[in-house]
Amino acid sequence: MSESIENNSVEIETVDSDIVNRTRELAADAQRVVVKAGTNSLTDGASNLDTSRIDKLVGDVVGLLEQDKQVILVSSGAVGAGKGQLGFSNETIEESQALSTIGQSQIMRCYTESFDRYDQTVAQILLTENDFEDPDRFTNFTNTIETLLEWGVIPVINENDAVATEELRIGDNDMLSSSVAIGVDADLLITLTDVGGVYTDNPKENLEAERIEAVGSNYAEVQQLIDDSSTASFGGIQTKVTGARSVSEHGIPAVIAKFTEPDVLAKIGTSKAVGTIFVPTNGLSNNAETTQNDV
Ligand code: GLU
């Protein structure tokens, strides 16, 4: 590691390029991929579901299926779609919960219609964090996922906002998608955002903010940068970084990338440099000489 990039307060080391390249190859080789899309990526300015954006995501996902990969989609947007449907701005958690129950069926209608263009069947799964902690519920969840994937069906997962509020309060499904990736033994987590990666500052406000290409051995510095920036709007990046780091600590690479980037999933599927990639902290399984010390 010889290079670094700086923001006002923290110097971020650049991860060794060999490790970055090998992580990109690992990501490209992934067989089971969890793809997460957030509300801002799926809705328009009036909080209506944007069918052209959903069609873009669905086209990208179908591209992965054509590479014989399994895809599990984690989709936010239920509250947003509910807001758009009622033309109502939510102020309380209870209102968000109720709106999510209206918007969730709209989301599934959009995904069903969009995937129909490819004769691809989808299934809805609504989860809470408790479902990962209770062994019986967890087994039931993984049995359902395995059966759907065996049938070639795409599970579309959201938090069950009617009975849980974790993601409504803080997460935008970033922690849920991380738990799903770990729980189903995924080979890759891709978090699609309107920001497009981890930057040295909020790129929506600071045009000089630089993209951090990879997070690995520099994690402590990246975390420091994000903690320092947490009072300012930082593009909702905190939970995305926490979620991606959590899967990388389970040996799973993760990528945070821009939803609107053309062929974004195909690029990741062919080892291209996209967004910010998180290096698994327990070594790269395809190249065993990389060890914990490397990341
Ligand atoms: N489960 C929530 C939803 O689908 C995620 C939180 C959010 O995106 O605001 O709306």
mmCIF file of all heavy atoms in Angstrom, residues 156-190:
data_model
loop_
_atom_site.group_PDB
_atom_site.id
_atom_site.type_symbol
_atom_site.label_atom_id
_atom_site.label_comp_id
_atom_site.label_asym_id
_atom_site.label_seq_id
_atom_site.Cartn_x
_atom_site.Cartn_y
_atom_site.Cartn_z
ATOM 1 N N VAL A 156 -37.980 -11.862 -3.672
ATOM 2 C CA VAL A 156 -37.890 -10.411 -3.463
ATOM 3 C C VAL A 156 -38.218 -10.168 -1.987
ATOM 4 O O VAL A 156 -39.336 -10.425 -1.540
ATOM 5 C CB VAL A 156 -38.881 -9.644 -4.365
ATOM 6 C CG1 VAL A 156 -38.738 -8.139 -4.137
ATOM 7 C CG2 VAL A 156 -38.663 -9.993 -5.829
ATOM 8 N N ILE A 157 -37.206 -9.707 -1.251
ATOM 9 C CA ILE A 157 -37.315 -9.624 0.210
ATOM 10 C C ILE A 157 -37.430 -8.171 0.661
ATOM 11 O O ILE A 157 -36.758 -7.291 0.120
ATOM 12 C CB ILE A 157 -36.067 -10.275 0.862
ATOM 13 C CG1 ILE A 157 -35.996 -11.759 0.486
ATOM 14 C CG2 ILE A 157 -36.086 -10.092 2.383
ATOM 15 C CD1 ILE A 157 -34.758 -12.483 1.027
ATOM 16 N N ASN A 158 -38.274 -7.940 1.634
ATOM 17 C CA ASN A 158 -38.322 -6.641 2.312
ATOM 18 C C ASN A 158 -38.512 -6.906 3.797
ATOM 19 O O ASN A 158 -38.872 -8.021 4.198
ATOM 20 C CB ASN A 158 -39.470 -5.780 1.755
ATOM 21 C CG ASN A 158 -39.324 -4.298 2.123
ATOM 22 O OD1 ASN A 158 -38.426 -3.905 2.896
ATOM 23 N ND2 ASN A 158 -40.210 -3.474 1.581
ATOM 24 N N GLU A 159 -38.255 -5.891 4.603
ATOM 25 C CA GLU A 159 -38.600 -6.017 6.019
ATOM 26 C C GLU A 159 -40.131 -6.067 6.139
ATOM 27 O O GLU A 159 -40.839 -5.416 5.363
ATOM 28 C CB GLU A 159 -38.091 -4.814 6.824
ATOM 29 C CG GLU A 159 -38.411 -4.944 8.310
ATOM 30 C CD GLU A 159 -37.846 -3.789 9.133
ATOM 31 O OE1 GLU A 159 -38.227 -2.631 8.891
ATOM 32 O OE2 GLU A 159 -37.023 -4.065 10.014
ATOM 33 N N ASN A 160 -40.609 -6.839 7.099
ATOM 34 C CA ASN A 160 -42.046 -6.863 7.386
ATOM 35 C C ASN A 160 -42.359 -5.651 8.271
ATOM 36 O O ASN A 160 -42.417 -5.748 9.488
ATOM 37 C CB ASN A 160 -42.411 -8.180 8.082
ATOM 38 C CG ASN A 160 -43.910 -8.348 8.195
ATOM 39 O OD1 ASN A 160 -44.663 -7.397 8.004
ATOM 40 N ND2 ASN A 160 -44.341 -9.565 8.491
ATOM 41 N N ASP A 161 -42.532 -4.505 7.610
ATOM 42 C CA ASP A 161 -42.625 -3.231 8.341
ATOM 43 C C ASP A 161 -43.882 -3.132 9.210
ATOM 44 O O ASP A 161 -43.916 -2.310 10.126
ATOM 45 C CB ASP A 161 -42.601 -2.055 7.350
ATOM 46 C CG ASP A 161 -41.284 -1.963 6.597
ATOM 47 O OD1 ASP A 161 -40.235 -2.184 7.218
ATOM 48 O OD2 ASP A 161 -41.316 -1.656 5.395
ATOM 49 N N ALA A 162 -44.892 -3.948 8.940
ATOM 50 C CA ALA A 162 -46.097 -3.904 9.779
ATOM 51 C C ALA A 162 -45.798 -4.383 11.196
ATOM 52 O O ALA A 162 -46.451 -3.949 12.146
ATOM 53 C CB ALA A 162 -47.206 -4.758 9.159
ATOM 54 N N VAL A 163 -44.779 -5.253 11.332
ATOM 55 C CA VAL A 163 -44.503 -5.814 12.663
ATOM 56 C C VAL A 163 -43.088 -5.507 13.161
ATOM 57 O O VAL A 163 -42.706 -5.931 14.249
ATOM 58 C CB VAL A 163 -44.734 -7.349 12.684
ATOM 59 C CG1 VAL A 163 -46.181 -7.676 12.351
ATOM 60 C CG2 VAL A 163 -43.783 -8.075 11.746
ATOM 61 N N ALA A 164 -42.281 -4.805 12.370
ATOM 62 C CA ALA A 164 -40.905 -4.475 12.782
ATOM 63 C C ALA A 164 -40.572 -3.077 12.290
ATOM 64 O O ALA A 164 -41.100 -2.627 11.271
ATOM 65 C CB ALA A 164 -39.923 -5.483 12.200
ATOM 66 N N THR A 165 -39.684 -2.407 13.020
ATOM 67 C CA THR A 165 -39.401 -1.019 12.630
ATOM 68 C C THR A 165 -37.906 -0.721 12.488
ATOM 69 O O THR A 165 -37.539 0.426 12.236
ATOM 70 C CB THR A 165 -39.989 -0.029 13.667
ATOM 71 O OG1 THR A 165 -39.397 -0.301 14.939
ATOM 72 C CG2 THR A 165 -41.494 -0.140 13.755
ATOM 73 N N GLU A 166 -37.044 -1.759 12.620
ATOM 74 C CA GLU A 166 -35.595 -1.508 12.571
ATOM 75 C C GLU A 166 -35.199 -0.756 11.299
ATOM 76 O O GLU A 166 -34.504 0.255 11.350
ATOM 77 C CB GLU A 166 -34.795 -2.820 12.616
ATOM 78 C CG GLU A 166 -34.632 -3.414 13.989
ATOM 79 C CD GLU A 166 -35.786 -4.347 14.365
ATOM 80 O OE1 GLU A 166 -36.791 -4.388 13.614
ATOM 81 O OE2 GLU A 166 -35.684 -5.011 15.405
ATOM 82 N N GLU A 167 -35.624 -1.268 10.149
ATOM 83 C CA GLU A 167 -35.185 -0.659 8.892
ATOM 84 C C GLU A 167 -35.899 0.666 8.623
ATOM 85 O O GLU A 167 -35.354 1.532 7.952
ATOM 86 C CB GLU A 167 -35.387 -1.639 7.731
ATOM 87 C CG GLU A 167 -34.553 -2.918 7.845
ATOM 88 C CD GLU A 167 -33.052 -2.655 7.775
ATOM 89 O OE1 GLU A 167 -32.659 -1.582 7.295
ATOM 90 O OE2 GLU A 167 -32.285 -3.526 8.227
ATOM 91 N N LEU A 168 -37.100 0.816 9.168
ATOM 92 C CA LEU A 168 -37.800 2.102 9.008
ATOM 93 C C LEU A 168 -37.075 3.192 9.766
ATOM 94 O O LEU A 168 -37.013 4.339 9.345
ATOM 95 C CB LEU A 168 -39.227 2.005 9.555
ATOM 96 C CG LEU A 168 -40.203 1.141 8.767
ATOM 97 C CD1 LEU A 168 -41.561 1.149 9.454
ATOM 98 C CD2 LEU A 168 -40.337 1.664 7.358
ATOM 99 N N ARG A 169 -36.496 2.815 10.945
ATOM 100 C CA ARG A 169 -35.860 3.821 11.797
ATOM 101 C C ARG A 169 -34.472 4.198 11.291
ATOM 102 O O ARG A 169 -34.100 5.347 11.281
ATOM 103 C CB ARG A 169 -35.744 3.314 13.237
ATOM 104 C CG ARG A 169 -37.071 3.257 13.952
ATOM 105 C CD ARG A 169 -36.928 2.645 15.333
ATOM 106 N NE ARG A 169 -38.200 2.194 15.838
ATOM 107 C CZ ARG A 169 -39.084 2.974 16.466
ATOM 108 N NH1 ARG A 169 -38.810 4.236 16.669
ATOM 109 N NH2 ARG A 169 -40.237 2.491 16.884
ATOM 110 N N ILE A 170 -33.680 3.212 10.902
ATOM 111 C CA ILE A 170 -32.294 3.542 10.557
ATOM 112 C C ILE A 170 -31.787 2.977 9.239
ATOM 113 O O ILE A 170 -30.877 3.529 8.658
ATOM 114 C CB ILE A 170 -31.292 3.049 11.642
ATOM 115 C CG1 ILE A 170 -31.546 1.587 11.957
ATOM 116 C CG2 ILE A 170 -31.299 3.932 12.860
ATOM 117 C CD1 ILE A 170 -30.319 0.885 12.494
ATOM 118 N N GLY A 171 -32.368 1.889 8.780
ATOM 119 C CA GLY A 171 -31.553 1.070 7.898
ATOM 120 C C GLY A 171 -31.729 1.140 6.409
ATOM 121 O O GLY A 171 -30.801 0.854 5.676
ATOM 122 N N ASP A 172 -32.940 1.470 5.874
ATOM 123 C CA ASP A 172 -33.166 1.365 4.438
ATOM 124 C C ASP A 172 -32.810 -0.043 3.944
ATOM 125 O O ASP A 172 -32.305 -0.212 2.835
ATOM 126 C CB ASP A 172 -32.359 2.445 3.690
ATOM 127 C CG ASP A 172 -32.805 2.580 2.238
ATOM 128 O OD1 ASP A 172 -33.979 2.313 1.958
ATOM 129 O OD2 ASP A 172 -31.961 2.919 1.392
ATOM 130 N N ASN A 173 -33.027 -1.041 4.792
ATOM 131 C CA ASN A 173 -32.772 -2.460 4.456
ATOM 132 C C ASN A 173 -31.294 -2.816 4.305
ATOM 133 O O ASN A 173 -30.980 -3.906 3.797
ATOM 134 C CB ASN A 173 -33.528 -2.885 3.183
ATOM 135 C CG ASN A 173 -35.011 -3.091 3.439
ATOM 136 O OD1 ASN A 173 -35.431 -3.148 4.580
ATOM 137 N ND2 ASN A 173 -35.779 -3.212 2.385
ATOM 138 N N ASP A 174 -30.394 -1.929 4.700
ATOM 139 C CA ASP A 174 -28.969 -2.256 4.552
ATOM 140 C C ASP A 174 -28.549 -3.387 5.491
ATOM 141 O O ASP A 174 -27.767 -4.260 5.107
ATOM 142 C CB ASP A 174 -28.107 -1.015 4.809
ATOM 143 C CG ASP A 174 -28.324 0.029 3.735
ATOM 144 O OD1 ASP A 174 -28.471 -0.372 2.558
ATOM 145 O OD2 ASP A 174 -28.381 1.220 4.055
ATOM 146 N N MET A 175 -29.061 -3.387 6.716
ATOM 147 C CA MET A 175 -28.696 -4.462 7.637
ATOM 148 C C MET A 175 -29.463 -5.737 7.298
ATOM 149 O O MET A 175 -28.935 -6.839 7.423
ATOM 150 C CB MET A 175 -28.950 -4.052 9.100
ATOM 151 C CG MET A 175 -28.148 -2.839 9.541
ATOM 152 S SD MET A 175 -26.432 -2.836 8.986
ATOM 153 C CE MET A 175 -25.776 -4.261 9.848
ATOM 154 N N LEU A 176 -30.690 -5.573 6.839
ATOM 155 C CA LEU A 176 -31.471 -6.759 6.436
ATOM 156 C C LEU A 176 -30.778 -7.487 5.281
ATOM 157 O O LEU A 176 -30.631 -8.716 5.297
ATOM 158 C CB LEU A 176 -32.884 -6.335 6.014
ATOM 159 C CG LEU A 176 -33.795 -7.480 5.567
ATOM 160 C CD1 LEU A 176 -34.175 -8.358 6.746
ATOM 161 C CD2 LEU A 176 -35.063 -6.936 4.900
ATOM 162 N N SER A 177 -30.303 -6.737 4.287
ATOM 163 C CA SER A 177 -29.659 -7.390 3.137
ATOM 164 C C SER A 177 -28.366 -8.070 3.568
ATOM 165 O O SER A 177 -28.004 -9.139 3.048
ATOM 166 C CB SER A 177 -29.400 -6.397 1.999
ATOM 167 O OG SER A 177 -28.688 -5.285 2.461
ATOM 168 N N SER A 178 -27.681 -7.477 4.537
ATOM 169 C CA SER A 178 -26.456 -8.087 5.060
ATOM 170 C C SER A 178 -26.800 -9.404 5.770
ATOM 171 O O SER A 178 -26.157 -10.437 5.536
ATOM 172 C CB SER A 178 -25.809 -7.073 6.011
ATOM 173 O OG SER A 178 -24.754 -7.623 6.702
ATOM 174 N N SER A 179 -27.841 -9.395 6.607
ATOM 175 C CA SER A 179 -28.251 -10.623 7.301
ATOM 176 C C SER A 179 -28.695 -11.686 6.301
ATOM 177 O O SER A 179 -28.411 -12.879 6.480
ATOM 178 C CB SER A 179 -29.413 -10.340 8.258
ATOM 179 O OG SER A 179 -29.029 -9.427 9.235
ATOM 180 N N VAL A 180 -29.395 -11.265 5.254
ATOM 181 C CA VAL A 180 -29.836 -12.230 4.238
ATOM 182 C C VAL A 180 -28.617 -12.862 3.559
ATOM 183 O O VAL A 180 -28.528 -14.085 3.417
ATOM 184 C CB VAL A 180 -30.751 -11.550 3.184
ATOM 185 C CG1 VAL A 180 -30.966 -12.452 1.979
ATOM 186 C CG2 VAL A 180 -32.090 -11.173 3.809
ATOM 187 N N ALA A 181 -27.652 -12.019 3.159
ATOM 188 C CA ALA A 181 -26.470 -12.545 2.452
ATOM 189 C C ALA A 181 -25.728 -13.567 3.314
ATOM 190 O O ALA A 181 -25.317 -14.628 2.828
ATOM 191 C CB ALA A 181 -25.545 -11.397 2.056
ATOM 192 N N ILE A 182 -25.577 -13.252 4.596
ATOM 193 C CA ILE A 182 -24.870 -14.172 5.502
ATOM 194 C C ILE A 182 -25.735 -15.423 5.717
ATOM 195 O O ILE A 182 -25.244 -16.552 5.652
ATOM 196 C CB ILE A 182 -24.557 -13.467 6.838
ATOM 197 C CG1 ILE A 182 -23.569 -12.323 6.602
ATOM 198 C CG2 ILE A 182 -24.011 -14.467 7.871
ATOM 199 C CD1 ILE A 182 -23.495 -11.306 7.736
ATOM 200 N N GLY A 183 -27.031 -15.205 5.933
ATOM 201 C CA GLY A 183 -27.933 -16.311 6.259
ATOM 202 C C GLY A 183 -28.088 -17.322 5.142
ATOM 203 O O GLY A 183 -28.243 -18.511 5.404
ATOM 204 N N VAL A 184 -28.055 -16.878 3.899
ATOM 205 C CA VAL A 184 -28.264 -17.819 2.772
ATOM 206 C C VAL A 184 -26.937 -18.240 2.141
ATOM 207 O O VAL A 184 -26.927 -18.831 1.066
ATOM 208 C CB VAL A 184 -29.195 -17.230 1.688
ATOM 209 C CG1 VAL A 184 -30.532 -16.812 2.292
ATOM 210 C CG2 VAL A 184 -28.547 -16.065 0.944
ATOM 211 N N ASP A 185 -25.825 -17.933 2.841
ATOM 212 C CA ASP A 185 -24.491 -18.290 2.319
ATOM 213 C C ASP A 185 -24.275 -17.732 0.918
ATOM 214 O O ASP A 185 -23.830 -18.456 0.010
ATOM 215 C CB ASP A 185 -24.295 -19.813 2.284
ATOM 216 C CG ASP A 185 -24.004 -20.361 3.656
ATOM 217 O OD1 ASP A 185 -23.413 -19.625 4.467
ATOM 218 O OD2 ASP A 185 -24.383 -21.519 3.919
ATOM 219 N N ALA A 186 -24.585 -16.462 0.735
ATOM 220 C CA ALA A 186 -24.364 -15.838 -0.574
ATOM 221 C C ALA A 186 -22.866 -15.704 -0.832
ATOM 222 O O ALA A 186 -22.047 -15.742 0.094
ATOM 223 C CB ALA A 186 -25.026 -14.466 -0.611
ATOM 224 N N ASP A 187 -22.525 -15.548 -2.108
ATOM 225 C CA ASP A 187 -21.118 -15.349 -2.487
ATOM 226 C C ASP A 187 -20.803 -13.877 -2.715
ATOM 227 O O ASP A 187 -19.644 -13.510 -2.943
ATOM 228 C CB ASP A 187 -20.818 -16.107 -3.782
ATOM 229 C CG ASP A 187 -21.173 -17.569 -3.662
ATOM 230 O OD1 ASP A 187 -20.697 -18.214 -2.711
ATOM 231 O OD2 ASP A 187 -21.947 -18.069 -4.498
ATOM 232 N N LEU A 188 -21.846 -13.035 -2.703
ATOM 233 C CA LEU A 188 -21.638 -11.616 -2.994
ATOM 234 C C LEU A 188 -22.870 -10.822 -2.566
ATOM 235 O O LEU A 188 -24.002 -11.268 -2.788
ATOM 236 C CB LEU A 188 -21.428 -11.445 -4.514
ATOM 237 C CG LEU A 188 -21.323 -10.021 -5.065
ATOM 238 C CD1 LEU A 188 -20.084 -9.314 -4.531
ATOM 239 C CD2 LEU A 188 -21.274 -10.048 -6.607
ATOM 240 N N LEU A 189 -22.628 -9.660 -1.969
ATOM 241 C CA LEU A 189 -23.706 -8.689 -1.700
ATOM 242 C C LEU A 189 -23.444 -7.447 -2.542
ATOM 243 O O LEU A 189 -22.347 -6.880 -2.487
ATOM 244 C CB LEU A 189 -23.733 -8.302 -0.211
ATOM 245 C CG LEU A 189 -24.636 -7.112 0.160
ATOM 246 C CD1 LEU A 189 -26.112 -7.430 -0.077
ATOM 247 C CD2 LEU A 189 -24.422 -6.701 1.627
ATOM 248 N N ILE A 190 -24.445 -7.043 -3.318
ATOM 249 C CA ILE A 190 -24.325 -5.798 -4.089
ATOM 250 C C ILE A 190 -25.392 -4.830 -3.585
ATOM 251 O O ILE A 190 -26.584 -5.123 -3.642
ATOM 252 C CB ILE A 190 -24.533 -6.038 -5.602
ATOM 253 C CG1 ILE A 190 -23.506 -7.042 -6.138
ATOM 254 C CG2 ILE A 190 -24.450 -4.709 -6.367
ATOM 255 C CD1 ILE A 190 -23.741 -7.455 -7.592
#
